[in-house]
Amino acid sequence: IINVDIKKNSMELSNTSSVSANIYDDDSKVITLKLPNLEIGDTIYYKIKTDRIKPRIYGEFSDFYISEYISPFISVNIVVEAPKEKPLKYAEVLNGDGKNYKIWKEKQENKILYYFESSNIDQIVIEPDMPNIYEVVMRYLFTTLESWEDVSKWYYNLSEPKIIINEKIKNKVYELTENKITDIEKIEAIFFFVSRKVRYMGTNKETNRPGLEPHPSDYTFETMSGVCRDKAALIVAMLRVLNYDANMVLINTSRKLDYEVPMSYFNHAIAGVTLENGEIILLDPTDETSNELFPQYLMDKSYILAKKEGATLQKTPIMEAKEKEVE
C-alpha cells in the first residue's frame, strides 16, 4: 500500500470548462491530483467528501443515485441521515422491478436513517437512439420537498424581484411592436430582439443562488449581455409591458425528470408566455442565431413554470418534422 501525499501532489486551479460558452467565473475552481509512480495493474482507492454550503432551495434537500449502469454493480449501499424535524417526504426506487434491492428506514432518537441496498446488478447495454440512461436504469431518489408546486413557487420568489420594467424597456417594446397585430407577431418581435441583440456572455456574479438567479432585467437591457436566465428575465419583463402572462421557466436540457419525486435538477432557464386560450408558448432566447422560438433539441424534456401560486412538472411538446424546401 502506497499512501499519496495529497497536499504535496494537488493543486487548485481556475475551472475553465465554461469559457468556451463565453462564461467567466473566477469563483469556480478545480483541484487536480497527481499520483506519482502509478503502474499498470495498480488499484486506486479514494474517498470524496462534498459539502453543500448553499443548497439550491434553501432549507430543502434532494438527491438521487443510479444503481445500474453500463458496468455491473456488485454492491450499492446508500444511507441518508435526516434530522428528526426534517424527514424525507419521498424516498423512492424507480425501475427496480425484478431486481435485487431493498429499501427501509430506521428511527433513532434525534434522526431518521433511510437505507437503500442493491447487489449483483447486471450491466445494461447501450442501444442506438435510446433515451437518456438516467431515465431507464434503476435509481434511488429522495427529497424533503412536498411537491413540484414548491419548486415552482421557489423559483418564482427567486426570479420575480429581478423582473424590473423601466421607461427604456417600455419604449423599446412599443417600438418593436408598433406595427404588429397578432399575439405571435408581438411575441416574435420581442423574442428576436432579445435573442439576437443581447449577447450571450456571463461575467458578473449572482448574490443569492449562482447558476439560477437572473440579473435584474433592466441591467441586462442596459449592458445588452447575459446568460440564459438573464435573457429570459428580460423577455418576461418586455412581454409584461404588453400585459402578457409571461413567466420564467426552468427546464432540464438532458433528460426527463421523474414526476414521482419533486427535485430541483434543472440546468437551464427560459421564458414562457400563456395566452388567453391557455396555450403555453416556450421561448428560448439563448442562441443568438436562432430562427425558432423554441429549438427542436429541447422537445420532450421536463420543464416547470415559475408561478406565484405554483405549477406542476410538464414536458415540452414533440415537434413535427418540417419539409426542406428545394430550389
Side-chain angles (χ1 to χ4, degrees), residues 14-16 18-19 22-29 202-206 210-211 229:
S14 294
N15 184 2
T16 60
S18 297
V19 172
N22 216 24
I23 299 175
Y24 308 91
D25 183 3
D26 55 11
D27 283 341
S28 180
K29 305 292 184 180
T203 56
N204 296 300
K205 302 175 181 63
E206 300 85 358
R229 53 196 176 272

Side-chain angles (χ1 to χ4, degrees), residues 190-258:
I190 292 172
F191 172 84
F192 287 119
F193 167 77
V194 175
S195 67
R196 295 172 180 175
K197 299 300 182 181
V198 178
R199 186 182 182 193
Y200 186 89
M201 182 170 64
T203 56
N204 296 300
K205 302 175 181 63
E206 300 85 358
T207 56
N208 192 0
R209 289 295 180 269
L212 291 171
E213 177 189 4
H215 287 104
S217 52
D218 58 344
Y219 173 82
T220 301
F221 183 80
E222 191 68 31
T223 61
M224 294 299 285
S225 67
V227 292
C228 62
R229 53 196 176 272
D230 306 319
K231 298 177 76 171
L234 179 56
I235 279 187
V236 169
M238 297 180 77
L239 286 171
R240 288 185 182 179
V241 172
L242 301 179
N243 296 317
Y244 283 109
D245 181 11
N247 294 278
M248 296 289 289
V249 175
L250 286 173
I251 188 170
N252 189 303
T253 63
S254 59
R255 64 185 176 90
K256 292 193 289 291
L257 300 179
D258 296 301

Side-chain angles (χ1 to χ4, degrees), residues 50-296:
T50 302
D51 292 327
R52 295 187 186 179
I53 307 302
K54 275 191 175 183
R56 279 197 158 187
I57 301 179
Y58 183 77
E60 303 293 350
F61 173 70
S62 299
D63 212 340
F64 76 98
Y65 288 91
I66 61 171
S67 49
E68 188 177 20
Y69 198 54
I70 57 175
S71 55
F73 285 169
I74 296 175
S75 177
V76 176
N77 298 275
I78 299 168
V79 181
V80 180
E81 182 178 314
K84 194 173 183 179
E85 63 275 10
K86 192 69 174 180
L88 296 179
K89 297 294 175 55
Y90 298 92
E92 304 285 345
V93 176
L94 300 182
N95 281 19
D97 291 347
K99 296 162 188 172
N100 189 23
Y101 79 89
K102 57 181 178 178
I103 178 173
W104 74 99
K105 67 180 179 180
E106 174 188 335
K107 293 183 179 181
Q108 298 185 357
E109 184 177 356
N110 296 315
K111 60 187 176 181
I112 305 174
L113 300 177
Y114 299 83
Y115 296 91
F116 168 85
E117 291 183 2
S118 65
S119 59
N120 299 320
I121 304 299
D122 293 335
Q123 70 187 81
I124 68 167
V125 178
I126 298 295
E127 300 178 6
D129 297 324
M130 69 178 286
N132 186 294
I133 191 171
Y134 291 94
E135 297 178 29
V136 298
V137 298
M138 178 166 64
R139 52 203 181 275
Y140 177 44
L141 304 92
F142 38 89
T143 183
T144 59
L145 288 164
E146 185 74 49
S147 67
W148 286 107
E149 285 81 359
D150 290 342
V151 180
S152 171
K153 293 176 185 177
W154 160 75
Y155 197 55
Y156 173 87
N157 292 327
L158 178 67
S159 59
E160 190 65 18
K162 308 297 182 178
I163 311 299
I164 299 173
I165 302 171
N166 58 22
E167 288 301 315
K168 290 183 179 180
I169 290 177
K170 288 182 180 180
N171 292 336
K172 190 63 182 181
V173 170
Y174 297 144
E175 174 192 329
L176 291 169
T177 61
E178 182 179 6
N179 298 316
K180 309 303 179 186
I181 299 174
T182 65
D183 288 334
I184 195 64
E185 287 176 337
K186 296 174 184 178
I187 292 169
E188 285 182 343
I190 292 172
F191 172 84
F192 287 119
F193 167 77
V194 175
S195 67
R196 295 172 180 175
K197 299 300 182 181
V198 178
R199 186 182 182 193
Y200 186 89
M201 182 170 64
T203 56
N204 296 300
K205 302 175 181 63
E206 300 85 358
T207 56
N208 192 0
R209 289 295 180 269
L212 291 171
E213 177 189 4
H215 287 104
S217 52
D218 58 344
Y219 173 82
T220 301
F221 183 80
E222 191 68 31
T223 61
M224 294 299 285
S225 67
V227 292
C228 62
R229 53 196 176 272
D230 306 319
K231 298 177 76 171
L234 179 56
I235 279 187
V236 169
M238 297 180 77
L239 286 171
R240 288 185 182 179
V241 172
L242 301 179
N243 296 317
Y244 283 109
D245 181 11
N247 294 278
M248 296 289 289
V249 175
L250 286 173
I251 188 170
N252 189 303
T253 63
S254 59
R255 64 185 176 90
K256 292 193 289 291
L257 300 179
D258 296 301
Y259 188 84
E260 296 90 339
V261 182
M263 290 190 166
S264 59
Y265 278 96
F266 296 93
N267 54 14
H268 190 36
I270 60 174
V273 55
T274 305
L275 302 182
E276 290 184 357
N277 62 5
E279 179 187 1
I280 299 174
I281 299 178
L282 297 174
L283 310 166
D284 186 355
T286 305
D287 192 346
E288 298 168 24
T289 60
S290 174
N291 290 317
E292 301 286 344
L293 298 178
F294 192 71
Q296 289 192 355

